[in-house]
Amino acid sequence: MPSGMIYARRLAVLATSAALTVTGLLSTAPAAQAAMPTPVSAATARTYLAALTVKAAGSTTGYSRDLFPHWITQSGTCNTRETVLKRDGVNVVTDSNCAATSGSWYSEYDGATWTLASDLDIDHMVPLAEAWRSGANSWTTAQRQAFANDLTRPQLIAVTDNVNQAKGDKDPAAWLPPRTAYRCTYVRAWVQVKYSYDLTVDSAEKNALESVLNGC
């Protein structure tokens, strides 16, 4: 057999072997834990960030959480908070009112695991007050409601309550998750949400986002 044909056959055998190996790995890999929608890649986030309008943060004058109606009913008796708790937890059991009575939740922000739903907050990736300062002050109530209950984009996530409270309405120039391994995912999600809703970024916020994205 000509040497060229032998070489081609070897390549074919190697390719088949590699495919079988990958298939084997996939078949034995554990099932993925449910979580918020996966944010765009770092490369896409950098493109989105470059397209955002850079503008000084606006005032919180007139702001109220009540202007962002939440948590709304999502399905049956389940509101947005309860829906996210079921999505982000493991072995979550709910009662007839959709309240989580048991389960386990891993908080990506700090690496803590909780078994009581009361220990968790549902964080708005881009906080409501931050959205207000970035352009949501001019939205309709319906638009603000959609933003506050968005399950399609990486905007809602179940996390340790006091960590979420430490975040408050800070942007990434002032606060990032204490668990550094999650920061790349966090800023990718932040940029995607701001881009999706055509919200602005201030210069310090943009610099902080770029700094993290450059290390992703």
Short mmCIF file of all heavy atoms in Angstrom, two decimals, residues 42-54 187 190-192 194-195 201-202 205-211 213-214:
data_model
loop_
_atom_site.label_atom_id
_atom_site.label_comp_id
_atom_site.label_asym_id
_atom_site.label_seq_id
_atom_site.Cartn_x
_atom_site.Cartn_y
_atom_site.Cartn_z
N ALA A 42 -16.50 35.62 26.72
CA ALA A 42 -15.72 36.81 27.05
C ALA A 42 -15.47 37.65 25.81
O ALA A 42 -15.52 38.89 25.86
CB ALA A 42 -14.39 36.40 27.70
N ALA A 43 -15.23 37.00 24.69
CA ALA A 43 -14.98 37.73 23.45
C ALA A 43 -16.21 38.52 23.03
O ALA A 43 -16.12 39.70 22.65
CB ALA A 43 -14.57 36.76 22.33
N THR A 44 -17.39 37.89 23.13
CA THR A 44 -18.62 38.58 22.79
C THR A 44 -18.90 39.69 23.79
O THR A 44 -19.34 40.79 23.41
CB THR A 44 -19.80 37.59 22.76
OG1 THR A 44 -19.55 36.60 21.76
CG2 THR A 44 -21.11 38.30 22.45
N ALA A 45 -18.62 39.43 25.06
CA ALA A 45 -18.83 40.46 26.09
C ALA A 45 -17.95 41.68 25.82
O ALA A 45 -18.39 42.82 26.01
CB ALA A 45 -18.53 39.88 27.47
N ARG A 46 -16.73 41.44 25.37
CA ARG A 46 -15.85 42.58 25.05
C ARG A 46 -16.42 43.39 23.89
O ARG A 46 -16.36 44.63 23.89
CB ARG A 46 -14.44 42.08 24.73
CG ARG A 46 -13.63 41.68 25.96
CD ARG A 46 -12.17 41.44 25.62
NE ARG A 46 -11.97 40.17 24.94
CZ ARG A 46 -11.70 39.02 25.58
NH1 ARG A 46 -11.62 39.00 26.90
NH2 ARG A 46 -11.51 37.91 24.90
N THR A 47 -16.99 42.69 22.91
CA THR A 47 -17.62 43.38 21.77
C THR A 47 -18.83 44.18 22.24
O THR A 47 -19.02 45.33 21.84
CB THR A 47 -18.05 42.36 20.71
OG1 THR A 47 -16.90 41.65 20.24
CG2 THR A 47 -18.71 43.04 19.52
N TYR A 48 -19.64 43.56 23.08
CA TYR A 48 -20.82 44.25 23.62
C TYR A 48 -20.40 45.48 24.43
O TYR A 48 -21.02 46.55 24.31
CB TYR A 48 -21.63 43.31 24.52
CG TYR A 48 -22.47 42.28 23.80
CD1 TYR A 48 -22.50 42.18 22.41
CD2 TYR A 48 -23.25 41.38 24.53
CE1 TYR A 48 -23.28 41.22 21.78
CE2 TYR A 48 -24.04 40.43 23.90
CZ TYR A 48 -24.05 40.34 22.53
OH TYR A 48 -24.83 39.40 21.91
N LEU A 49 -19.40 45.31 25.27
CA LEU A 49 -18.95 46.40 26.13
C LEU A 49 -18.48 47.59 25.31
O LEU A 49 -18.78 48.75 25.63
CB LEU A 49 -17.84 45.91 27.07
CG LEU A 49 -17.28 46.94 28.06
CD1 LEU A 49 -18.38 47.51 28.94
CD2 LEU A 49 -16.19 46.29 28.92
N ALA A 50 -17.77 47.31 24.24
CA ALA A 50 -17.28 48.38 23.37
C ALA A 50 -18.42 49.14 22.72
O ALA A 50 -18.27 50.32 22.36
CB ALA A 50 -16.37 47.79 22.30
N ALA A 51 -19.58 48.49 22.58
CA ALA A 51 -20.72 49.12 21.93
C ALA A 51 -21.60 49.92 22.89
O ALA A 51 -22.46 50.69 22.45
CB ALA A 51 -21.57 48.06 21.24
N LEU A 52 -21.38 49.74 24.21
CA LEU A 52 -22.22 50.45 25.18
C LEU A 52 -21.86 51.93 25.27
O LEU A 52 -20.69 52.30 25.12
CB LEU A 52 -22.06 49.80 26.57
CG LEU A 52 -22.62 48.39 26.73
CD1 LEU A 52 -22.37 47.88 28.14
CD2 LEU A 52 -24.11 48.36 26.42
N THR A 53 -22.85 52.74 25.51
CA THR A 53 -22.63 54.17 25.68
C THR A 53 -22.01 54.44 27.04
O THR A 53 -22.51 53.95 28.07
CB THR A 53 -23.96 54.95 25.58
OG1 THR A 53 -24.52 54.74 24.28
CG2 THR A 53 -23.76 56.43 25.81
N VAL A 54 -20.91 55.17 27.05
CA VAL A 54 -20.25 55.53 28.31
C VAL A 54 -20.80 56.89 28.75
O VAL A 54 -20.73 57.88 28.01
CB VAL A 54 -18.72 55.61 28.14
CG1 VAL A 54 -18.07 56.01 29.47
CG2 VAL A 54 -18.17 54.28 27.66
N VAL A 187 -19.04 39.19 35.21
CA VAL A 187 -18.95 40.38 34.34
C VAL A 187 -19.47 40.08 32.94
O VAL A 187 -20.02 40.98 32.29
CB VAL A 187 -17.51 40.95 34.28
CG1 VAL A 187 -17.05 41.38 35.67
CG2 VAL A 187 -16.54 39.98 33.67
N TRP A 190 -23.10 40.57 33.43
CA TRP A 190 -23.39 41.99 33.62
C TRP A 190 -23.42 42.73 32.28
O TRP A 190 -24.37 43.47 31.99
CB TRP A 190 -22.34 42.59 34.55
CG TRP A 190 -22.52 44.06 34.85
CD1 TRP A 190 -22.25 45.12 34.03
CD2 TRP A 190 -23.04 44.62 36.06
NE1 TRP A 190 -22.56 46.30 34.65
CE2 TRP A 190 -23.04 46.03 35.90
CE3 TRP A 190 -23.49 44.08 37.26
CZ2 TRP A 190 -23.48 46.90 36.90
CZ3 TRP A 190 -23.94 44.95 38.26
CH2 TRP A 190 -23.92 46.34 38.06
N VAL A 191 -22.40 42.50 31.47
CA VAL A 191 -22.31 43.18 30.18
C VAL A 191 -23.46 42.76 29.28
O VAL A 191 -24.07 43.59 28.58
CB VAL A 191 -20.95 42.92 29.51
CG1 VAL A 191 -20.95 43.43 28.06
CG2 VAL A 191 -19.83 43.57 30.30
N GLN A 192 -23.76 41.48 29.26
CA GLN A 192 -24.86 40.99 28.40
C GLN A 192 -26.17 41.65 28.76
O GLN A 192 -26.95 42.06 27.88
CB GLN A 192 -24.99 39.47 28.49
CG GLN A 192 -26.11 38.93 27.60
CD GLN A 192 -26.25 37.42 27.66
OE1 GLN A 192 -25.37 36.72 28.16
NE2 GLN A 192 -27.36 36.90 27.16
N LYS A 194 -26.67 44.54 30.37
CA LYS A 194 -26.65 45.97 30.02
C LYS A 194 -26.80 46.18 28.52
O LYS A 194 -27.51 47.09 28.07
CB LYS A 194 -25.35 46.62 30.53
CG LYS A 194 -25.37 46.90 32.03
CD LYS A 194 -24.91 48.31 32.33
CE LYS A 194 -25.34 48.75 33.71
NZ LYS A 194 -24.78 50.07 34.06
N TYR A 195 -26.16 45.32 27.74
CA TYR A 195 -26.25 45.42 26.29
C TYR A 195 -27.67 45.10 25.81
O TYR A 195 -28.22 45.80 24.95
CB TYR A 195 -25.24 44.46 25.66
CG TYR A 195 -25.23 44.48 24.14
CD1 TYR A 195 -24.49 45.42 23.44
CD2 TYR A 195 -25.95 43.53 23.41
CE1 TYR A 195 -24.47 45.43 22.04
CE2 TYR A 195 -25.94 43.53 22.03
CZ TYR A 195 -25.20 44.49 21.34
OH TYR A 195 -25.19 44.49 19.97
N VAL A 201 -22.96 52.64 30.71
CA VAL A 201 -21.95 52.32 31.72
C VAL A 201 -21.17 53.60 32.01
O VAL A 201 -20.99 54.44 31.12
CB VAL A 201 -20.97 51.22 31.26
CG1 VAL A 201 -21.65 49.88 31.19
CG2 VAL A 201 -20.33 51.56 29.92
N ASP A 202 -20.73 53.76 33.25
CA ASP A 202 -19.86 54.90 33.53
C ASP A 202 -18.42 54.47 33.32
O ASP A 202 -18.13 53.27 33.16
CB ASP A 202 -20.11 55.48 34.93
CG ASP A 202 -19.79 54.51 36.06
OD1 ASP A 202 -18.71 53.89 36.04
OD2 ASP A 202 -20.62 54.39 36.99
N GLU A 205 -16.88 51.93 35.82
CA GLU A 205 -17.53 50.63 35.62
C GLU A 205 -16.95 49.94 34.39
O GLU A 205 -16.62 48.74 34.44
CB GLU A 205 -19.03 50.87 35.45
CG GLU A 205 -19.86 49.66 35.11
CD GLU A 205 -21.29 50.04 34.76
OE1 GLU A 205 -21.65 51.23 34.89
OE2 GLU A 205 -22.06 49.15 34.35
N LYS A 206 -16.81 50.68 33.30
CA LYS A 206 -16.27 50.09 32.07
C LYS A 206 -14.84 49.62 32.28
O LYS A 206 -14.47 48.52 31.84
CB LYS A 206 -16.32 51.10 30.93
CG LYS A 206 -15.83 50.51 29.60
CD LYS A 206 -15.99 51.48 28.44
CE LYS A 206 -15.56 50.82 27.13
NZ LYS A 206 -15.71 51.73 25.97
N ASN A 207 -14.04 50.40 32.98
CA ASN A 207 -12.65 50.01 33.24
C ASN A 207 -12.59 48.73 34.06
O ASN A 207 -11.76 47.85 33.80
CB ASN A 207 -11.90 51.13 33.96
CG ASN A 207 -11.64 52.32 33.07
OD1 ASN A 207 -11.65 52.21 31.84
ND2 ASN A 207 -11.40 53.48 33.68
N ALA A 208 -13.46 48.62 35.06
CA ALA A 208 -13.48 47.42 35.91
C ALA A 208 -13.90 46.20 35.09
O ALA A 208 -13.33 45.11 35.24
CB ALA A 208 -14.44 47.63 37.08
N LEU A 209 -14.89 46.37 34.23
CA LEU A 209 -15.35 45.27 33.39
C LEU A 209 -14.25 44.82 32.43
O LEU A 209 -14.02 43.62 32.25
CB LEU A 209 -16.60 45.69 32.61
CG LEU A 209 -17.86 45.90 33.46
CD1 LEU A 209 -18.92 46.64 32.66
CD2 LEU A 209 -18.42 44.56 33.94
N GLU A 210 -13.59 45.78 31.81
CA GLU A 210 -12.51 45.46 30.88
C GLU A 210 -11.39 44.72 31.59
O GLU A 210 -10.81 43.76 31.05
CB GLU A 210 -11.96 46.74 30.25
CG GLU A 210 -12.87 47.34 29.21
CD GLU A 210 -12.33 48.66 28.64
OE1 GLU A 210 -11.55 49.33 29.35
OE2 GLU A 210 -12.71 49.01 27.50
N SER A 211 -11.07 45.15 32.81
CA SER A 211 -9.98 44.53 33.56
C SER A 211 -10.26 43.06 33.82
O SER A 211 -9.38 42.21 33.64
CB SER A 211 -9.80 45.27 34.89
OG SER A 211 -8.78 44.67 35.67
N LEU A 213 -12.53 41.12 32.17
CA LEU A 213 -12.69 40.43 30.88
C LEU A 213 -11.35 40.12 30.23
O LEU A 213 -11.18 39.09 29.56
CB LEU A 213 -13.54 41.25 29.93
CG LEU A 213 -15.05 41.25 30.21
CD1 LEU A 213 -15.75 42.26 29.30
CD2 LEU A 213 -15.63 39.86 30.02
N ASN A 214 -10.37 40.99 30.42
CA ASN A 214 -9.05 40.77 29.83
C ASN A 214 -8.34 39.56 30.44
O ASN A 214 -7.41 39.02 29.84
CB ASN A 214 -8.18 42.02 30.00
CG ASN A 214 -8.59 43.14 29.05
OD1 ASN A 214 -9.24 42.89 28.04
ND2 ASN A 214 -8.22 44.37 29.39
#
